[in-house]
Amino acid sequence: MDPDHDGSSSDGMEMETMPGYMELVTRAYSVMFSALRDCEVCGLELSRRTLLDHAYITWTEIFMFFMCAVMWTKVRKGLTVYIFEPFGQWCCIQPKDISKMPESAWKLVFYTMSWSYSTYLLFFTSYSFFQNPPSVFYDWKSGMSVPTDITIAYLIQGSFYGHSIYATIYMDAWRKDSLVMVVHHFITLALITFSYAFRYHNIGILVLFLHDINDIQLEFTKINVYFKTRGGKEYLINDVLSNMGVISFSITWFWFRLYWFPLKVLWASCVTSIQSVPHIPFYFFFNILLFALLLMNIYWFLFIVLFVVKALTGQMTEVNDVREYEDEYLKEKKDTNDQMSTEG
């Protein structure tokens, strides 16, 4: 770890203009095809040697990861028992939401903290990664020191996703996509770990910044959904805030994940990285994962658009947490009706 901001040591280099979509597609195809053609010894053996030669992570860092993952679990349990659940009961939210609200409250607190820290790194320090994305690979060296402030960000995020794997299985309300979320957490943790080990931490901070903001808006919206009905009464303020949350969530999803992410992150990782660092390790591996992330963002955006269209056309009268399984009383009612139908 290095307290110096070595990621910004090339500030004197000319800042590049952000490309358009067509330029990204054409240049990315050209660069990747050229790199693949020039790779004469690509294969499992090269991957194994590259992993052994360029991946750097210490036992101390692994120990700190597990300690922080346990810490997040303890902190969440403490906040849930002593603050979130008592507050939900005091506000008289619906019984079916009392067990779910603390989960969203915890995630809102964490993502607000983590995204604020990423924002601080990108806009209130000497790093120029957001303004000049190609700079994420300036002066890259295998096994280079990671600045302390970025190491802290990686420790926070990595240990949180380690905690999230446990939490999704044993602490969160089980939903239709919970199994998918477990897989997502494993993939995210692998990306964070590999990007740190290969010293691609600069671009990693940019990726985290561009994705965490949507989690803040999602959990904010869900909390207001839970608080719309309190003590048997409907509260307009929470209904308005939940609708505003959906709108801002949709806008920032497109702007951050479908505009800035491809034109900043993918441009830097796919096109300019190989110019700054010829034969950069695991070039195809990381770019394939980043393109897969883009495809998932596009896929989920289609659902967001469909959701907004239904809301605007009156097909959906209110914003609800559509990820939830049916409530228990609805399941029981369905089972009862099925039983009566069978007996009839």
Side-chain angles (χ1 to χ4, degrees), residues 279-300:
H279 308 294
I280 186 169
F282 277 84
Y283 170 80
F284 293 105
F285 173 75
F286 281 106
N287 277 293
I288 288 172
L289 289 179
L290 289 173
F291 270 104
L293 182 56
L294 175 63
L295 291 177
M296 285 190 288
N297 289 339
I298 295 172
Y299 173 78
W300 283 109

Side-chain angles (χ1 to χ4, degrees), residues 4 21 24 29 75 99 107 120 175 200 245 286 292 304 328:
D4 297 326
Y21 288 113
L24 170 65
Y29 174 80
V75 169
S99 62
K107 291 178 180 178
Y120 162 75
R175 301 179 175 89
Y200 299 149
F286 281 106
I304 294 170
E328 288 301 320

Side-chain angles (χ1 to χ4, degrees), residues 245-263:
V246 168
I247 294 171
S248 64
F249 175 78
S250 305
I251 293 172
T252 56
W253 186 285
F254 173 81
W255 198 259
F256 280 69
R257 297 193 180 204
L258 302 184
Y259 180 66
W260 276 339
F261 175 69
L263 300 186

Side-chain angles (χ1 to χ4, degrees), residues 142-275:
S142 179
M144 63 190 291
S145 297
V146 181
T148 302
D149 48 10
I150 292 183
T151 298
I152 292 172
Y154 261 78
L155 180 59
I156 290 172
Q157 292 277 0
S159 60
F160 175 76
Y161 280 101
H163 147 79
S164 295
I165 293 171
Y166 170 85
T168 302
I169 298 172
Y170 297 106
M171 299 176 70
D172 296 348
W174 194 258
R175 301 179 175 89
K176 286 180 270 190
D177 63 349
S178 289
L179 186 59
V180 177
M181 291 303 296
V182 172
V183 175
H184 167 271
H185 294 333
F186 271 110
I187 294 174
T188 302
L189 181 58
L191 277 170
I192 291 174
T193 303
F194 274 95
S195 65
Y196 181 84
F198 280 91
R199 300 308 189 245
Y200 299 149
H201 47 273
N202 294 341
I203 198 169
I205 291 297
L206 193 54
V207 173
L208 292 171
F209 166 77
L210 294 175
H211 284 76
D212 280 356
I213 186 172
N214 294 121
D215 293 299
I216 296 174
Q217 295 165 319
L218 175 64
E219 302 307 334
F220 173 81
T221 301
K222 288 168 64 176
I223 285 177
N224 278 283
V225 168
Y226 299 146
F227 277 84
K228 277 196 300 186
T229 303
R230 304 196 302 274
K233 297 180 180 179
E234 298 286 334
Y235 287 83
L236 179 62
I237 181 64
N238 296 108
D239 187 44
V240 171
L241 288 174
S242 63
N243 285 310
M244 289 176 60
V246 168
I247 294 171
S248 64
F249 175 78
S250 305
I251 293 172
T252 56
W253 186 285
F254 173 81
W255 198 259
F256 280 69
R257 297 193 180 204
L258 302 184
Y259 180 66
W260 276 339
F261 175 69
L263 300 186
K264 287 181 178 289
V265 172
L266 290 179
W267 177 259
S269 67
C270 190
V271 178
T272 66
S273 63
I274 209 165
Q275 297 170 354

Side-chain angles (χ1 to χ4, degrees), residues 45-111:
E45 179 58 28
L46 177 62
S47 298
R48 187 187 68 83
R49 293 202 313 267
T50 302
L51 184 64
L52 294 175
D53 293 342
H54 298 284
Y56 293 88
I57 194 163
T58 67
W59 285 109
T60 301
E61 290 167 334
I62 294 174
F63 174 76
M64 289 297 297
F65 159 79
F66 281 106
M67 288 295 294
C68 288
V70 172
M71 179 196 72
W72 291 131
T73 304
K74 295 295 184 181
V75 169
R76 173 176 171 173
K77 286 183 177 179
L79 290 174
T80 297
V81 171
Y82 295 107
I83 297 179
F84 298 147
E85 284 184 347
F87 183 70
Q89 293 168 353
W90 181 74
C91 291
C92 298
I93 65 175
Q94 298 182 83
K96 67 184 181 67
D97 294 330
I98 288 179
S99 62
K100 295 179 292 188
M101 185 275 290
E103 175 190 340
S104 290
W106 159 246
K107 291 178 180 178
L108 178 63
V109 169
F110 175 83
Y111 283 119

